[in-house]
Amino acid sequence: MYPRSGVAAHALAHAEHELGTGRDAADFLDQWLREDPQAVQSRHLNWHAALQSIACGDFPDARRRADTALARTDVGMRAATNWRLFLVGQSPAGRSDPGQVRELLSAPGGMAEIFHTFNLALALAVEAATDDLHILARRAAADERADFRDVLAPVVRALAEVTAGRPRVAVDLLSGLGESAERIGGVRVEREIIQDTLARALVDSGEHVRAAGLLHHRTTTRHHHTYEDLLLAVRTPADAAGPH
């Protein structure tokens, strides 16, 4: 009814992600944005387009969007793009500055909101900042807020274990979360990266069948699922050692 509605375009981007529409979804978003390159939603919709490029295996396009459409302040969207690329053995887009991430975490209110803190943890994981992740996990574990203590802490520790090349420990940490992972905040496309990390850790631990079962719904319902196929691909120990 209202083709220029940014709310509608964003809702459609979420639906298209669940369908794995791939290039068609990215093309729609590009066409929508060309009519108003300064649209308030431009950076976030470009991030959605990057996810569709990852879905169909167009990794250069995903990196291009992250580098040209996302600002330095878009730490979460950049990290969520790069961590997905790392999980399937692809080189990242331009990375975040670990110093900036540390400043954001230590600033007043830096850990006021769980999903924001989770995104900063992803940024540290992209940098293979294992020590920083362990420090953050300990801070979360000591937090009086149950969601930080019971959900964020094990997720952050699992990211640390993946970066350290210990996928089996990450499997144990993430498997114990179950549906409580939803308490990390955000929406499904944003939380899905936790499941992605578990799937990769399962494969790297030799549990390919279990990993395939974890992603079965996606690989059987999404039109494009190159990303999921690569998550399930067995890699050499050198490849599976985590980001560097």
Side-chain angles (χ1 to χ4, degrees):
M1 291 176 66
Y2 303 99
R4 293 306 306 161
S5 167
V7 173
H10 184 215
L12 182 60
H14 276 267
E16 297 287 77
H17 178 80
E18 298 297 334
L19 294 171
T21 311
R23 176 54 50 204
D24 288 346
D27 288 346
F28 165 79
L29 291 171
D30 283 340
Q31 180 180 356
W32 193 92
L33 288 167
R34 272 195 296 271
E35 294 189 34
D36 183 8
Q38 303 305 315
V40 174
Q41 304 88 350
S42 62
R43 287 169 15 217
H44 190 66
L45 291 181
N46 259 294
W47 177 70
H48 275 281
L51 294 190
Q52 290 290 358
S53 294
I54 290 174
C56 62
D58 190 351
F59 304 116
D61 185 68
R63 287 191 289 269
R64 177 187 65 79
R65 292 178 190 275
D67 283 336
T68 61
L70 298 183
R72 182 176 182 269
T73 54
D74 296 323
V75 176
M77 288 189 288
R78 183 177 296 281
T81 303
N82 279 335
W83 188 243
R84 283 173 168 88
L85 290 170
F86 271 129
L87 289 177
V88 295
Q90 298 295 316
S91 58
R95 303 183 184 184
S96 299
D97 176 6
Q100 178 197 12
V101 177
R102 294 185 193 106
E103 288 177 8
L104 290 170
L105 282 169
S106 60
M111 290 182 64
E113 199 273 321
I114 187 170
F115 185 65
H116 173 70
T117 310
F118 167 62
N119 278 322
L120 294 179
L122 283 178
L124 292 173
V126 169
E127 300 303 321
T130 305
D131 291 343
D132 288 289
L133 286 166
H134 278 302
I135 291 170
L136 179 56
R138 287 194 292 271
R139 287 180 64 187
D143 200 290
E144 61 183 14
R145 293 166 291 183
D147 289 347
F148 277 71
R149 184 179 63 248
D150 302 335
V151 181
L152 181 64
V155 168
V156 175
R157 188 181 164 207
L159 291 172
E161 298 298 343
V162 170
T163 65
R166 295 188 289 266
R168 167 49 56 193
V169 181
V171 166
D172 293 341
L173 288 163
L174 295 178
S175 296
L177 288 176
E179 293 184 1
S180 66
E182 294 185 1
R183 291 159 55 192
I184 208 78
V187 295
R188 185 158 56 187
V189 61
E190 294 166 321
R191 292 191 302 267
E192 199 172 72
I193 203 165
I194 299 174
Q195 188 179 59
D196 300 345
T197 304
L198 175 55
R200 183 70 255 170
L202 282 166
V203 171
D204 291 342
S205 300
E207 294 195 54
H208 186 275
V209 173
R210 188 176 162 195
L214 186 69
L215 301 184
H216 177 74
H217 175 73
R218 294 202 224 165
T219 56
T220 54
T221 59
R222 294 186 177 177
H223 304 309
H224 291 278
H225 46 79
T226 299
Y227 171 67
E228 282 80 9
D229 291 342
L230 289 174
L231 277 177
L232 297 174
V234 177
R235 303 201 303 243
T236 66
D239 293 332
H244 299 283

